[in-house]
């Protein structure tokens, strides 16, 4: 089955599209592309949680049309017959303890633009069943990347998946969401290979305050959203910013990198992880990878080919769409804490030409 996995992550770097041939035995990526968000969409999405209900509803529809046009343009370069689009959407609110999670990008609007069946809103059924609605990628880790002890995604948020009798997964800590925000203070979209973090010094008192945040002592299943980052994490960084000179920003990048690596290593060491697959944009952050290796010396860290690094989440969402169309489990209760496994995702109908 030919399915396009469509992924918009919390780091707001762009939209990933991966056209995958999903079979019972695995997958093949036929084409893949990342489309950076225009500045207007980046700003709009970054501030949407504070907008009116009208503006939120309008953004949901307009983002759907925008994503649908991206799919239409993406398909103009191929003659492959595509069966469906599996869209993650862009998360605006994530408060599973309130029974709330929202990913905008209306599925009907996507379908109207590209003329394909669309699967979207993968998280809401799991949240309705009492789960976290996240992470969703572990079903792909189980079925597609099960040769590794654990899979680590370094995106806007760092999350991990591993098997301990059953598949376990959870969000560990912020990652590129924090590092990219600091990098903007240097006039950069991100810190290339962690070069500026490598120039900085770790502020041990700040690192301890970050490490002591209550979230880290909570048991899994658990997940993070922008609300937690803005309300709990970033204020500790903001207190240290002061005059915001280059040296200070580099120190903060170093401190946050050390914090991220330490939190990840705590999991790797406690679970005796020997082989680790690392994907997501943070996999290219050499400084961060080296810190993880330093804190978890018994773990062999593997960064795969660039295609897998960049598109693993989009590939897995194509798999989630495949499983939804087949009526099979695509969300694991052992990961999310829901009452039961489920087959999530809303279907938006085909446009009949």
């Amino acid at each position: 089955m030919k399915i396009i996995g469509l992924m918009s992550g919390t780091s707001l770097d762009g939209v990933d599209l991966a056209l995958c041939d999903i079979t019972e035995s695995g997958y093949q990526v036929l084409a893949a592309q990342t489309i950076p968000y225009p500045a207007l969409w980046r700003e709009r999405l970054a501030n949407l949680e504070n907008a009116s209900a009208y503006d939120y509803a309008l953004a949901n529809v307009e983002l759907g049309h925008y994503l649908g046009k991206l799919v239409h343009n993406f398909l103009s370069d191929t003659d492959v017959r595509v069966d469906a689009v599996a869209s993650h959407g862009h998360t605006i609110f994530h408060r599973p303890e309130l029974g709330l999670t929202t990913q905008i990008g209306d599925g009907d609007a996507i379908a109207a633009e590209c003329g394909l069946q669309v699967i979207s809103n993968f998280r809401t059924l799991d949240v309705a069943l009492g789960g976290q609605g996240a992470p969703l990628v572990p079903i792909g880790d189980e079925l597609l990347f099960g040769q590794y002890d654990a899979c680590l995604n370094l995106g806007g948020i760092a999350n991990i998946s591993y098997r301990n009798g059953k598949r376990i997964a959870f969000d560990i800590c912020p990652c590129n969401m924090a590092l990219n925000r600091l990098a903007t203070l240097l006039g950069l979209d991100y810190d290339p290979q962690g070069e500026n973090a490598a120039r900085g010094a770790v502020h041990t008192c700040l690192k301890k305050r970050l490490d002591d945040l209550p979230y880290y002592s909570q048991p899994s299943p658990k997940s993070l959203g922008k609300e937690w980052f803005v309300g709990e994490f970033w204020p500790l960084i903001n207190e240290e910013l002061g005059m915001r000179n280059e040296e200070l920003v580099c120190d903060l990048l170093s401190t946050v990198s050390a914090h991220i690596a330490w939190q990840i290593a705590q999991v790797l060491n406690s679970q005796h992880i020997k082989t680790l697959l690392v994907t997501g944009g943070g996999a290219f952050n050499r400084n961060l990878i080296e810190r993880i290796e330093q804190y978890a010396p018994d773990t062999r860290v593997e960064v795969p080919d660039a295609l897998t690094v960049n598109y693993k989440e989009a590939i897995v969402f194509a798999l989630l769409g495949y499983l939804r169309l087949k009526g099979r489990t695509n969300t694991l209760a052992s990961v999310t804490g829901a009452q039961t496994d489920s087959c999530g995702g809303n279907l938006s109908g085909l446009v009949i030409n």
Side-chain angles (χ1 to χ4, degrees):
M1 190 176 290
K2 311 295 193 304
I3 300 180
I4 294 175
L6 191 62
M7 181 71 199
S8 175
T10 52
S11 56
L12 277 173
D13 49 356
V15 179
D16 294 334
L17 301 97
L19 171 55
C20 302
D21 186 4
I22 306 290
T23 67
E24 296 296 317
S25 58
Y27 75 96
Q28 180 183 3
V29 179
L30 304 178
Q33 185 179 10
T34 297
I35 315 274
Y37 271 118
L40 287 175
W41 266 118
R42 286 173 63 98
E43 181 178 357
R44 188 176 183 184
L45 293 174
N47 297 292
L48 194 58
E49 74 268 20
N50 299 314
S52 69
Y54 175 85
D55 289 335
Y56 172 86
L58 184 61
N60 177 45
V61 173
E62 291 185 347
L63 182 64
H65 283 286
Y66 174 73
L67 294 175
K69 289 174 182 175
L70 294 185
V71 172
H72 177 80
N73 293 338
F74 178 67
L75 288 176
S76 66
D77 294 329
T78 179
D79 57 0
V80 175
R81 181 187 176 279
V82 176
D83 297 291
V85 175
S87 176
H88 172 272
H90 191 83
T91 300
I92 303 299
F93 301 110
H94 185 67
R95 295 290 301 276
E97 73 278 10
L98 302 177
L100 171 68
T101 188
T102 64
Q103 287 74 44
I104 68 167
D106 181 64
D108 286 318
I110 297 174
E113 295 289 348
C114 68
L116 297 170
Q117 187 172 25
V118 176
I119 311 102
S120 60
N121 289 326
F122 284 93
R123 301 183 187 276
T124 52
L125 176 58
D126 183 81
V127 171
L129 289 167
Q132 293 285 308
L136 295 182
V137 169
I139 187 72
D141 296 340
E142 182 86 3
L143 298 178
L144 302 180
F145 303 100
Q147 67 270 36
Y148 297 94
D149 289 344
C151 295
L152 176 69
N153 176 61
L154 297 177
I157 293 169
N159 48 63
I160 195 166
S161 163
Y162 57 88
R163 175 161 281 281
N164 186 358
K166 57 184 179 181
R167 179 63 56 172
I168 304 295
F170 54 91
D171 290 341
I172 299 176
C173 61
C175 187
N176 295 335
M177 182 184 290
L179 296 176
N180 291 357
R181 188 164 180 173
L182 284 167
T184 62
L185 301 178
L186 299 175
L188 303 170
D189 291 332
Y190 63 97
D191 184 13
Q193 297 190 38
E195 294 171 356
N196 292 289
R199 295 196 291 126
V202 174
H203 290 194
T204 55
C205 290
L206 174 59
K207 179 179 177 297
K208 185 178 187 307
R209 292 181 70 195
L210 294 172
D211 289 335
D212 287 344
L213 284 167
Y215 175 83
Y216 299 126
S217 61
Q218 295 174 13
S220 64
K222 57 183 180 178
S223 60
L224 289 170
K226 187 178 178 182
E227 296 94 334
W228 181 89
F229 175 76
V230 171
E232 302 291 332
F233 189 93
W234 188 254
L236 300 182
I237 306 297
N238 204 43
E239 289 176 13
E240 305 290 328
L241 279 173
M243 298 298 292
R244 304 192 181 194
N245 60 69
E246 181 176 325
E247 180 179 355
L248 175 60
V249 175
C250 289
D251 288 351
L252 292 176
L253 280 166
S254 181
T255 303
V256 172
S257 295
H259 165 72
I260 294 167
W262 177 255
Q263 292 301 325
I264 291 169
Q266 295 292 95
V267 179
L268 300 178
N269 293 333
S270 67
Q271 298 301 319
H272 308 290
I273 302 299
K274 299 302 181 185
T275 57
L276 178 71
L277 179 72
V278 183
T279 56
F284 297 118
N285 185 328
R286 189 59 221 164
N287 179 260
L288 180 58
I289 296 298
E290 289 173 353
R291 292 180 196 244
I292 295 171
E293 291 173 331
Q294 176 188 351
Y295 289 143
D298 294 332
T299 301
R300 178 170 62 83
V301 178
E302 181 175 330
V303 177
D305 59 277
L307 186 69
T308 306
V309 168
N310 287 324
Y311 295 102
K312 176 173 176 274
E313 286 192 296
I315 293 166
V316 172
F317 267 86
L319 172 67
L320 292 175
Y322 171 86
L323 294 171
R324 174 65 181 88
L325 294 175
K326 292 286 187 178
R328 300 179 186 172
T329 295
N330 64 6
T331 309
L332 300 173
S334 66
V335 167
T336 68
Q339 300 167 17
T340 182
D341 292 348
S342 61
C343 182
N346 297 341
L347 301 182
S348 297
L350 289 166
V351 177
I352 308 299
N353 294 316

